[in-house]
Every structure is written in C-alpha cells, then in structure tokens.
Amino acid sequence: MPDETQTDAVTGAFSYSGAAIARELLAAGHDVRTLTGHPQRAPADSGIDVHPLDFSDVEGLRRSLEGVHTLYNTYWVRFARDGVDHQKAVANSRILFDAAAQAGVRRIVHVSITHADPASPYPYFRGKAAVEQHLAATGVSHAIARPAILFGGNGVLVNNIAWLLRRLPVFAIGGRGEYRVRAIHIDDLARLCARLGASGDNVTLDAVGPQSLTFREMVTVIRAAVGSRALVFSVPGSLVPPLSAALGLVLRDVLLTGEEYRAMADGLADSDAPSTGETAFTDWVARHGAELGRRYANELDLHFRPIQPLAKAS
C-alpha cells in the first residue's frame, strides 16, 4: 500500500507568511489545510482545505486539526485592534496549541520574533515569549523560527517605504538611522519552516538573511532602486511616532507604531545569528525596484476591513 500523503495545517494560508509556507508545502506534495479568520478570502482554485480560525470554538479547532501531521503557526497581531491586543493574542495562541495537542498533531512549527523575551519592555516581544513558553509546555515536538523583518512577495513594509519615497519630497528617519535590520526574504522563511517541519528536534533559531543593514542604508537602497529624489533626513526619534500617526490618518492606515519604532531603534530587528536565508536584500530590491511602491499596501484593508464584493461584469 502506498504511503498516504501528509496533511499539514497552516494558519493564515491566504495572508503573507502563511501563504508562502502553504506554497512551499504544496510544492512538496503535501495536502494543506488552513485555519483562517478570513475564509471568504480563499481563492476557488487554491487547492487548500479551508477551516475557520475561531478561538471561541475549541472543539471546532480540535476537529479541524485532526489528521494533521504538522501545524505551521503564523497567527499573531501586529497591534491592538478590534478588542484583540497582544495579551489576547497570547491567550488565543494557547487555545490553538492545546487544541493541536488534543487532536494528536505530531509537530508544531511556530513563527515568532527575534529577541522574544518575557522581560522585554515591549508587549509585542513579551507576548511572543509567552507563546513560545506555552508551546514548549504542550509537550508536542516543535520548532520556533524567529524572523525580524520580512521582505519579498506582497510584503507591506518595503513596498510602502518605496511608495512614500516615490511620492513625497522628503523622508524622515528617526535619529541617525544607524540601528540595524536583519531582514529575511519571505520565501527563505517558508523554506526554513518546511525544513523545520521535516525535522524532529525541538529547536529555536533566528530566521535572518545574509545582510545586516542600517535602517538608513535600507532606505537608501530602496530610494535608488525606485529612482526617487526624496531628501532623506534625520529627525529626533520622539517625532517618528506622531509623524507616522499623522500620515496614517491621511492614508486610513497604521504605518508604524511607537513600539515598533522604539524596538527597532533598540536593535531588536537585528541578530548576530548565522544566516538562515540566502536572498540578499540589496540584490532583491535592485531587481524589483521598477514595481516597488507603485501602489500603497494598506494594512487595515488587508487584515481588518471587510472585503468589498467584486463588481459584476456588464
């Protein structure tokens, strides 16, 4: 009798990192199931089995995870919204991991963050550390990948920096911009997660690319790639959150939270770990400069606002 095809589950397989992981698993011949808070976003021809990610329905989560070999978890919240903050996201993650353990999931690969720390001054990083601790306590075989900044695909951050550089005459950087960023390409992260899923060791490692650039270098590279003439200049770091908030009001979005800026300025987007990705940020931006920033990617539209129905062809 031939071996059965392995079934894996991915949270958010129609989002960003979850979509990249799902593509990697499908290419490897696995059956892919997703737990998603936006089942209506599922393309009709995705080839993915769609289940709701409803933390209020514990039994439903358990049933959705029955028969799953490996759960790839990308669930988290970037900032508090609609009654869900980092503390609530921790509680939701616990519900998910407990349901996976009860369903007999054999392995969990969890996407966390560099410098996750229960003593961190930042709720985002404290919350990520609490989720890691609960995962370890489940007793399920697991791996934890800790990226800092992601780029590639339909990522928001690099695209929106490019969008601003294309349209504004100036671009403000907090302080001297010498805080470093160790970004990893989204496909490199997906390949790493798939490798971790195929392993059996309990492991935690940073998911980082081959380059550690200062934020100023990162902006300068994007500026050159898109042909921008915007003046890049320094402002006191204390001005970055209110400036971002003001732009956010105009764009009806959240560009950069105060916590995100302060954590980056504190060096939490950097790592001295060995590279786990192959794609150099500077090379990728140079190749894709012509298309970067052509359209603004609205975070709230992507993850929070209801999807507008498509107009019918006349």
Side-chain angles (χ1 to χ4, degrees):
M1 175 182 259
D3 293 338
E4 292 185 3
T5 302
Q6 179 172 310
T7 298
D8 295 328
V10 182
T11 59
F14 307 116
S15 187
Y16 184 42
S17 57
I21 294 169
R23 287 194 301 270
E24 190 71 20
L25 296 173
L26 288 169
H30 296 202
D31 287 337
V32 176
R33 187 178 303 172
T34 189
L35 281 70
T36 173
H38 304 284
Q40 71 277 16
R41 296 178 189 244
D45 58 351
S46 69
I48 295 175
D49 185 19
V50 180
H51 294 251
L53 183 61
D54 182 355
F55 298 106
S56 67
D57 183 6
V58 176
E59 180 59 22
L61 286 175
R62 186 194 63 77
R63 288 195 303 270
S64 294
L65 290 166
E66 286 181 348
V68 167
H69 183 282
T70 301
L71 167 64
Y72 294 84
N73 180 49
T74 69
Y75 167 75
W76 191 242
V77 292
R78 189 184 138 201
F79 44 77
R81 185 81 178 181
D82 296 342
V84 180
D85 57 11
H86 294 127
Q87 185 174 359
K88 181 64 173 177
V90 171
N92 287 343
S93 299
R94 288 173 176 162
I95 291 170
L96 176 64
F97 291 156
D98 289 346
Q102 293 164 13
V105 171
R106 299 184 192 179
R107 187 160 174 81
I108 298 175
V109 177
H110 172 61
V111 178
S112 186
I113 191 74
T114 51
H115 304 286
D117 184 351
S120 174
Y122 303 112
Y124 189 110
F125 292 79
R126 288 200 308 274
K128 283 287 196 178
V131 173
E132 291 184 6
Q133 290 172 342
H134 188 75
L135 174 56
T138 64
V140 178
S141 169
H142 64 274
I144 298 169
R146 290 175 162 181
I149 299 292
L150 304 176
F151 68 95
N154 61 345
V156 168
L157 176 65
V158 175
N159 179 80
N160 287 353
I161 291 175
W163 188 88
L164 292 169
L165 286 166
R166 284 184 184 276
R167 284 158 181 81
L168 299 181
V170 295
F171 188 98
I173 289 179
R176 298 174 64 182
E178 293 183 345
Y179 32 90
R180 292 190 171 273
V181 176
R182 190 88 182 273
I184 185 170
H185 192 280
I186 188 65
D187 291 340
D188 286 342
L189 174 66
R191 284 187 285 268
L192 171 64
C193 287
R195 290 197 300 271
L196 291 173
S199 174
D201 298 331
N202 291 345
V203 62
T204 300
L205 76 170
D206 286 356
V208 289
Q211 292 178 312
S212 175
L213 303 175
T214 68
F215 185 71
R216 180 176 286 276
E217 288 171 337
M218 184 176 176
V219 170
T220 301
V221 166
I222 299 170
R223 178 179 180 271
V226 302
S228 168
R229 296 184 178 181
L231 173 65
V232 178
F233 69 105
S234 296
V235 299
S238 60
L239 291 181
V240 172
L243 287 173
S244 297
L247 266 175
L249 287 174
V250 174
L251 296 167
R252 299 181 66 243
D253 194 16
V254 177
L255 273 74
L256 183 74
T257 69
E259 178 180 337
E260 287 171 334
Y261 168 70
R262 289 187 290 272
M264 184 168 60
D266 280 349
L268 300 189
D270 193 21
S271 168
D272 58 4
S275 178
T276 50
E278 299 178 355
T279 308
F281 178 85
T282 53
D283 294 344
W284 182 86
V285 169
R287 289 196 304 270
H288 294 272
E291 67 238 34
L292 280 175
R294 293 294 181 182
R295 297 180 62 184
Y296 180 76
N298 190 297
E299 180 87 10
L300 296 184
D301 284 349
L302 288 170
H303 299 292
F304 295 98
R305 295 189 178 112
I307 300 171
Q308 298 299 319
L310 295 175
K312 292 183 179 180
S314 56

